[in-house]
Every structure is written in C-alpha cells, then in structure tokens.
Amino acid sequence: MPAGGAGERGERARTIAVTLPWDRIMMGGRVFLAIGKTLMWPNRRLCDLLKIEHPIIQAPMAGSATPQLAAAVSNAGGLGSLGCASMLPDGLRNVARQMRASTERPFNLNFFVFPRPNTSDAVLTGVIDRLRPYYEELSLDEPSRKLPPIGPGFDDEKLELLLEIRPPVVSFHFGIPDAADVGRLKRAGIAIIGTATNVAEARKLVDGGADAVIAQGWEAGGHRGSHARNGPGDGVGAMALVPQVVDAVKLPVIAAGGIADGRGIAAAFALGASGVQIGTGFLSCDEAGTDAPRRALMRAASDMDTMVTDAFTGRAARARRTRYALEMEESRTPLPDFPQMVALSAPLGDAGAKGDFAFHLYGQAAALNRELPAGELMRTLVAETSDVFEALSAGKEMPA
Amino acid sequence: MPAGGAGERGERARTIAVTLPWDRIMMGGRVFLAIGKTLMWPNRRLCDLLKIEHPIIQAPMAGSATPQLAAAVSNAGGLGSLGCASMLPDGLRNVARQMRASTERPFNLNFFVFPRPNTSDAVLTGVIDRLRPYYEELSLDEPSRKLPPIGPGFDDEKLELLLEIRPPVVSFHFGIPDAADVGRLKRAGIAIIGTATNVAEARKLVDGGADAVIAQGWEAGGHRGSHARNGPGDGVGAMALVPQVVDAVKLPVIAAGGIADGRGIAAAFALGASGVQIGTGFLSCDEAGTDAPRRALMRAASDMDTMVTDAFTGRAARARRTRYALEMEESRTPLPDFPQMVALSAPLGDAGAKGDFAFHLYGQAAALNRELPAGELMRTLVAETSDVFEALSAGKEMPA
C-alpha cells in the first residue's frame, strides 16, 4: 500500500456492506437471494498461478507430510506438498506416482538448496568436545568423527528427475537453484516457489526466476528458509515481514508462520498476501505422519513451547524447547555444516530419556491445532476465513 | 475462534457485500445513497472501554513520545501515550497538565513494574571485565563500579501521585502492580492496561485486574514487556501471539509489534484484536522527539535492521543491530539488573563513533514509516484500514 493509500478510492468500483437481518437484498430493482455462502478470495493471484481453488498450501514438512495428507489437501482445493529433500530417485518417482493416483489436482514437491558441506577438523573437534558429556550421560560411545558424505542440496540428477516427473509445482528452501536450472523447470510447465525470511532474500528469489515467494515469519515451525546461516537476533515476524515483502516484489506472496486458522489466513490477506502456507496446523490431521508422542505434545502445546536452534541439523529450525537445545544455544559452539550435524545429534535424540534431547519440529501456534481429517480441516479453514472477512466488513456504517 | 467457527453463522445478522459501479443501493424498496465513507470498527470493545473514536494507541516510548505527539494522536481520535517511568513527581504533574491543556480526549501514562535492582559483586566484576576493552577502544576511563541506586519501578509514591493526577488511562510494562494498588486506581476511574509477551503473562494481567491486555509481538521495537528476563528463543510473533491471547482472556486485546499501516491494523482485527498499539510507526511524525540521526536511520531502514538485546539496559529490547549488541549477545555475559546496566552502557553510546555503540530503539516494520504530522498519520491509518476491510470483503461472491 503506498503512503496515503486512500487515494485510488474514487477510481474503483465501490463496495457497500449492508447488514441485514434477513437473507435477500434488492438491487437495481431486482431481488437477490442469498443461496448459501461461497467464499470468493479477495486476491486470486496465487490461485490463478497454481490452478487451485483455495490459496492454502500445506507445508512440505519432510517426515510428517505423507502422500495421503498432501493428496487430501489437494483434493480439498488447496496445494498439498511433500518434502523430498532426502529422497532417492526411486522414492521420488514412487511418491509422484502415488500423488497422481490419489489426486487429479496440482501438488508440490519441495527440495533444499544448500552448498556441499565442508566441515573443518577444528569445528568437528570443538563440537565433539561439547557433546561428549551428553553422550556420556546417555551411556553412548564416543561421538563419531565420521560425518556422512552429503552432496549439495539440489544437483543435475535431481533436475533431470524433476524434468522427467514434471510435478505441477516445485518449491525450494534455503535458496533457489541456478537461473538456468529454474528456467528449464519453468519451460517444462512447472511453477516455481521459493522461501524468503527477509526482504533481501525475497528479491533474490525474484532475480532467480521464482513464480511466487513464501514470506516465512519467525513463528514458523521447522527449518527457517534463510539463504545463509542465522545470526543472533535474526528472524522477522510475519506481521512485519509480509507487507514489506509484498511491497518489494511483484510476485504473489505466500505468508507463512503462526497461521493456523481462519483468523491467521484473513490476517495474511489483510497484510497483502495472495495465499498462506500452513505447516504445524496440518500436523494434527489424521493423515499426517506425526507420531503419537508429538501429537500429545501438540495437544498440550503453549505459545512458548518452541525456540529456534541450529543444534540439531546445523541450520536454524524452530523446534520444541528442550534442555539440549537451550544449552547448545547458550554455549554457541560452532557446528558442522548442514545437514552433517544430524549425524552427531541423532544418537542423542534416539537415546535421550524424558525428551531432553528430542527433536520435535513445530511452530508457535501449535496450540491452535485441530485434530481433523485434512479435507475437513481445509473446509473449516475456508469457512472460518469467510467468517472473518464478513466480520471485518460488517462493522462498516451503512449509507443512509 | 472455536474449532469449526462457522457454527454460529445462522444466528447472526447476515452481511452481504455488493460491489457496485455506482454509489447507491436499493434495499427493502428504499434507495440508500453512499455519502462518503465512515469507518465503523468491526470490534468496538477497546473504543468503548477507553472512550476513544479509533482503537489505535500510540505507544508510550519514553524519550520519543512528547506531549505534542500524544495530544495530536488523542485529538485525532486515538489514544496518545507518554512514557513516565523515569519522571519525577513535578515532571509528571507537568506533563499531565500539558496533556489536559492540549486535548480534551483521553490519554495514557505509562509506567514500568520491576523489582528493586540487586546486582551482585560477581556480576558487576564480570560485566566490567567484558566491557573494559570497549571502554579502552573509546578512550574512556575504567567502567565505574558505582551503579546508581534505583528504587522499584512502581511504588506508593507513584500510586499516590496517579490518584492525584487521575489520568484517564494508565498502562504498565514488565508486569502489573499489586492487585490492591490496581484496585485503587480503577476505583479512581482510571482504565488499566498491561503488556504481555505470551499467554501466561496475559493471564497474570487478567488476575491482576487489568482492563485490557497488550499482546506485544516479537516484531515490536523497544523493551519487550516480558514479566521476567528473556531467555534464548523467547519471543512470540504477533501472528501467533494475538489469537492465542484472544482465546485465553476475555478482556479486549491490543495487538502490538510490526504494525505500521492499515494492512497491519486490519490484520490485527482479523486475528481477533480490539485495537492496536503502534510505536515505531509514530517515530517519524513531526511531533515525535526522535532526533535527526534516528530519523535518517528509519528513512533507510530494512526489515533486518534490528535485534533483541539486553546489552543496553539489562532487559531485552529490540534496537538497531550494532556491533556492540551483536558481540554482547554472542558472549552472553550476565548483566546488572534492569535498569542499572544503563550506567555501564551509556558512556559507550555517548562516546562511540560510527554508531557501533548507539542505542536506537525501533521495530521490524520501521521501513513502512511515514513522515507526517501525527494527526495526518492517524487519518491515513484509518483510511487505509477501511480500504483493506473493503478489499477483503469485495471478493465475496454476490448472491444470485
């Protein structure tokens, strides 16, 4: 919105909201009857781009988003997503086949973009010294100095595979591939979405050829999509981030972070977004791959349950606040490159009692979760959003 | 919003939004003409409580909020506020007199609630060792071991003074006074507002007798109103915080953090708020006490300019990201109790070149600031909000 945003008012079609105690209205001499409510989204840019009915993207959430969940969301008119970063070619072909068998609507495959890890001996020695007491406490052997060899996050093999599979939508986290690769995907008819955690990253996604930008707020569960490692104090809340990204880029902006119900969806549209991405909100759905302990945690969640830490994977992620995460954040030991740190933290999580070392990814609005089938959650979200839009306009004074 | 919030729809008056290319509408056989637009707020709980026209509170911002700024906001129908935490009795009587001379409308005086500082020798020695290199770099004498004696944030003297002055509204930061004191203020006709940074704090404010609760998101500039010192990873973004506070308390909720234009205000109402508190957004107003260097910084601000640090005062505050703040956050030296840390950081800020040690308080949406007189900013905010409400309802399908 430009400064003094009231300026264009005269040029637009005028909207008058009328609150009636009954369900018909006369206009231009004709009587119009209200015949049930159909939400027409106030901004259809994302719907038009992705060919979806409702601008609600279920976040990819590797390990939690199943083909069943994604298909249910797509079938309900949203965009179902699958986190494919660590899938091998056959696995990827298989889930794409599953998606196509379960829905005729668009779906999204998500990949990570990161440089090949290159952890120095000094960093490895430092973090092992830092972790040794935890390993001893849990009666584990000495932490292994052998970090797994891991390639870059997105490479030629994955590109060729995507050109073969041709999913309707591909989204990227932590950055965007080379413009040439993005160009090939787009020419194959694939819509490209990237994640930004600040305005500068949003601009990089535009330059890289993205078709839409996810503005991921500080509230979001899971890995922050920052294109570089986070520093202390990084993290822009959605309320401040979304309008600044909307002002900075001409693409449709998808708000993410802390959005779990119709209030959050309506707020995102108020901020100028053309859609939302919801992750944590889908974790309690029947079709999600969320295990029983995490379902129980979310049932009892509060707004202060989580924190941002890189102590599990080497990249900042919002996860449940545990003793391990708090102590590692306090000490700020330099960590192995993403995702090699997983090799050192995973044995702790597997062995840890009382959840002190558990890696539970979720966001700041987990307390708003509903335990519903995904299709029913989608319908609830749309109905709630419609109700909020209605409530916001209902207060307007009637012309007299 | 309860799960499945669509339930009540049938019991409510039905609202139909109609987009017309002209400015009259027939209803029930009568013709209604649009005679200019008057925004009727969709939720008037805060307006009714505080007896204000527009539910927009200008944040107190000690040192930046002048009586001129506060009076301009109150006169424009909002609630002007003054930060009075460090004022002596005569100064407080004086600003109250100034406010009453400049506006007949309600205004707000803000106070801090904190325990008497009790910094240990060990902490003092540790922080002085940490600061010594900075003092040397700036050619300052050895940091002083003499911290100023500071009483508690709110005491009997301030209570009696407020009962004498009887401002229409009093707001508290970092907590709320004893219930007995709050009761006396309320019986004197003063409306009481408290700040919460999470749901548990909001509940404490309700128990303490507050009339309304500010839900202060992570995005907000200035001191976080947390009732205890912040830990790593604390900080709930407004998008997640506001609906959870709305669900937890029955009082009107005032959203704060990252709100700078009509988009943010409309988003706050979508999340269930009854009003907003805007701080940074008023710092560029002509009447604000913002000095020229900070005005220039905000003119060039980006979403990543700031961070949360306690390195200046001993309590977490969102301020400009500087070398000093970043290095202090990295090292996490235990600091003297709030506000005694000011005695040690202020000489650095006064002497520091290139802004490395400057303490510039502002929030994550500073880039959205407008340089306007406060009354004009208020009118702009209301017009923008009205436009957003309209845009959100305009997409709704017309009954046919």
Side-chain angles (χ1 to χ4, degrees):
Chain A
M1 177 176 302
E8 299 185 325
R9 206 179 310 157
E11 286 112 60
R12 288 215 301 263
R14 181 178 298 269
T15 294
I16 304 171
V18 188
T19 299
L20 303 172
W22 61 92
D23 59 357
R24 64 178 62 85
I25 185 170
M26 280 186 70
M27 207 177 61
R30 294 188 304 158
V31 176
F32 294 85
L33 288 174
I35 50 163
K37 194 158 60 174
T38 305
L39 175 61
M40 178 74 85
W41 291 92
N43 174 336
R44 294 196 48 84
R45 293 180 67 198
L46 189 74
C47 292
D48 293 344
L49 171 71
L50 303 180
K51 304 180 179 67
I52 55 179
E53 186 185 352
H54 301 301
I56 301 173
I57 301 179
Q58 161 252 316
M61 304 186 292
S64 300
T66 60
Q68 292 72 29
L69 177 67
V73 171
S74 289
N75 280 326
L79 184 73
S81 306
L82 287 173
C84 302
S86 61
M87 284 185 192
L88 296 175
D90 280 352
L92 192 57
R93 283 195 193 91
N94 190 37
V95 293
R97 210 174 295 127
Q98 274 185 271
M99 287 304 296
R100 288 212 158 92
S102 354
T103 183
E104 294 183 343
R105 308 220 187 167
F107 59 89
N108 169 39
L109 301 185
N110 176 262
F111 295 86
F112 292 167
V113 177
F114 58 86
R116 189 179 296 274
N118 185 18
T119 301
S120 75
D121 276 351
V123 164
L124 186 56
T125 300
V127 72
I128 284 178
D129 287 347
R130 177 71 187 80
L131 296 182
R132 190 171 290 115
Y134 295 136
Y135 272 64
E136 285 171 3
E137 177 183 337
L138 297 170
S139 304
L140 292 168
D141 291 340
E142 170 82 354
S144 169
R145 286 191 68 88
K146 269 198 175 173
L147 298 183
I150 291 166
F154 193 78
D155 56 13
D156 284 348
E157 188 189 6
K158 284 187 170 144
L159 175 67
E160 296 302 331
L161 196 55
L162 282 179
L163 291 171
E164 174 199 323
I165 294 174
R166 300 205 178 201
V169 185
V170 167
S171 66
F172 292 105
H173 214 61
F174 304 130
I176 187 167
D178 291 345
D181 292 355
V182 171
R184 289 187 64 192
L185 293 169
K186 289 171 75 170
R187 283 192 297 279
I190 299 170
I192 303 297
I193 299 177
T195 298
T197 61
N198 58 46
V199 168
E201 290 174 352
R203 291 207 172 98
K204 278 187 205 158
L205 296 175
V206 173
D207 294 344
D211 295 307
V213 171
I214 298 164
Q216 186 196 29
W218 169 248
E219 301 87 344
H223 277 99
R224 293 184 51 67
S226 315
H227 299 189
R229 277 193 169 179
N230 272 46
D234 289 0
V236 184
M239 185 70 86
L241 178 66
V242 173
Q244 293 182 75
V245 171
V246 166
D247 288 348
V249 307
K250 288 183 179 146
L251 301 178
V253 173
I254 300 150
I259 302 171
D261 61 23
R263 294 177 293 190
I265 298 172
F269 277 84
L271 294 172
S274 307
V276 298
Q277 179 167 286
I278 296 178
T280 304
F282 283 105
L283 283 179
S284 300
C285 285
D286 301 354
E287 300 91 337
T290 315
D291 61 16
R294 188 146 53 129
R295 286 182 190 268
L297 286 172
M298 285 189 299
R299 211 169 287 138
S302 88
D303 55 336
M304 292 289 284
D305 266 14
T306 65
M307 62 184 289
V308 170
T309 178
D310 54 5
F312 292 99
T313 68
R315 284 272 199 164
R318 181 170 292 286
R320 184 169 168 80
R321 184 184 304 238
T322 60
R323 181 189 135 209
Y324 169 72
L326 281 166
E327 291 177 359
M328 291 297 282
E329 281 305 303
E330 281 285 4
S331 67
R332 294 202 186 276
T333 309
L335 303 179
D337 290 351
F338 175 89
Q340 286 187 322
M341 181 64 199
V342 175
L344 288 164
S345 68
L348 297 171
D350 293 340
K354 292 182 299 181
D356 274 4
F357 298 88
F359 186 36
H360 286 303
L361 292 163
Y362 57 90
Q364 292 185 325
L368 302 178
N369 269 19
R370 270 76 60 96
E371 299 182 343
L372 291 172
E376 197 175 327
L377 178 59
M378 278 292 299
R379 285 185 290 279
T380 303
L381 292 171
V382 172
E384 287 174 350
T385 307
S386 174
D387 282 351
V388 176
F389 288 159
E390 183 172 329
L392 294 180
S393 65
K396 284 199 284 184
E397 201 160 81
M398 202 167 73
Chain B
M1 178 176 302
E8 296 187 329
R9 206 179 312 157
E11 287 109 62
R12 286 217 300 265
R14 183 178 296 268
T15 295
I16 303 171
V18 187
T19 301
L20 303 171
W22 61 92
D23 59 357
R24 65 178 61 86
I25 184 170
M26 281 186 70
M27 208 179 59
R30 293 190 300 156
V31 176
F32 293 86
L33 288 174
I35 50 163
K37 194 159 61 176
T38 305
L39 175 63
M40 179 72 87
W41 291 93
N43 173 336
R44 295 194 49 84
R45 294 180 66 197
L46 190 74
C47 292
D48 293 343
L49 171 71
L50 303 181
K51 305 181 179 64
I52 55 180
E53 186 184 352
H54 301 301
I56 299 172
I57 301 179
Q58 163 252 314
M61 302 187 293
S64 300
T66 59
Q68 292 73 31
L69 177 66
V73 171
S74 288
N75 280 326
L79 185 73
S81 306
L82 288 172
C84 303
S86 62
M87 285 184 190
L88 296 175
D90 280 352
L92 191 57
R93 283 195 192 91
N94 191 35
V95 294
R97 211 175 294 124
Q98 275 184 270
M99 287 305 297
R100 290 215 157 87
S102 347
T103 184
E104 294 183 343
R105 309 221 186 167
F107 59 90
N108 169 38
L109 301 184
N110 176 262
F111 295 87
F112 292 168
V113 178
F114 58 87
R116 189 178 297 273
N118 185 20
T119 301
S120 75
D121 277 349
V123 164
L124 187 55
T125 300
V127 73
I128 284 177
D129 287 346
R130 177 71 186 78
L131 296 181
R132 191 172 288 114
Y134 295 136
Y135 272 64
E136 286 170 3
E137 177 184 336
L138 298 170
S139 302
L140 292 168
D141 291 340
E142 172 81 355
S144 169
R145 286 192 68 88
K146 272 200 172 169
L147 298 183
I150 292 168
F154 194 78
D155 56 12
D156 284 348
E157 188 188 5
K158 285 189 170 142
L159 175 67
E160 296 302 332
L161 197 55
L162 281 179
L163 291 171
E164 172 199 324
I165 294 174
R166 299 202 181 204
V169 185
V170 166
S171 66
F172 292 105
H173 213 61
F174 304 129
I176 187 165
D178 290 345
D181 293 355
V182 170
R184 288 188 65 191
L185 293 169
K186 288 172 76 170
R187 283 192 297 277
I190 300 171
I192 303 296
I193 299 177
T195 298
T197 61
N198 57 48
V199 168
E201 289 174 354
R203 291 208 172 99
K204 278 187 205 157
L205 296 175
V206 173
D207 293 344
D211 295 306
V213 170
I214 299 165
Q216 186 196 29
W218 170 246
E219 302 87 344
H223 276 100
R224 294 183 50 68
S226 315
H227 300 190
R229 277 192 169 179
N230 271 49
D234 288 1
V236 185
M239 185 70 86
L241 177 66
V242 174
Q244 292 182 75
V245 171
V246 166
D247 288 347
V249 307
K250 287 182 180 148
L251 301 178
V253 173
I254 300 150
I259 301 170
D261 61 21
R263 294 176 295 189
I265 298 172
F269 277 84
L271 294 173
S274 306
V276 298
Q277 178 166 286
I278 296 177
T280 304
F282 282 104
L283 283 179
S284 299
C285 285
D286 302 354
E287 299 92 340
T290 315
D291 61 14
R294 188 146 54 130
R295 285 183 191 267
L297 285 173
M298 283 189 298
R299 210 169 287 139
S302 88
D303 56 336
M304 292 289 283
D305 266 15
T306 65
M307 62 185 287
V308 169
T309 178
D310 54 5
F312 291 100
T313 69
R315 282 273 198 164
R318 181 170 291 285
R320 185 170 169 78
R321 184 185 303 241
T322 59
R323 181 190 135 209
Y324 169 72
L326 281 166
E327 291 176 359
M328 292 295 283
E329 280 306 303
E330 281 285 3
S331 67
R332 294 200 185 275
T333 310
L335 303 179
D337 290 352
F338 175 88
Q340 287 186 321
M341 181 64 200
V342 176
L344 289 164
S345 68
L348 296 171
D350 293 341
K354 292 182 301 181
D356 274 5
F357 298 89
F359 187 34
H360 287 303
L361 292 163
Y362 57 89
Q364 291 187 324
L368 301 178
N369 269 20
R370 271 74 64 94
E371 299 181 344
L372 291 172
E376 198 175 327
L377 178 59
M378 278 291 299
R379 284 186 289 279
T380 303
L381 292 172
V382 172
E384 286 174 351
T385 307
S386 174
D387 282 353
V388 176
F389 287 159
E390 184 170 328
L392 293 180
S393 64
K396 283 200 283 184
E397 202 160 79
M398 204 167 74

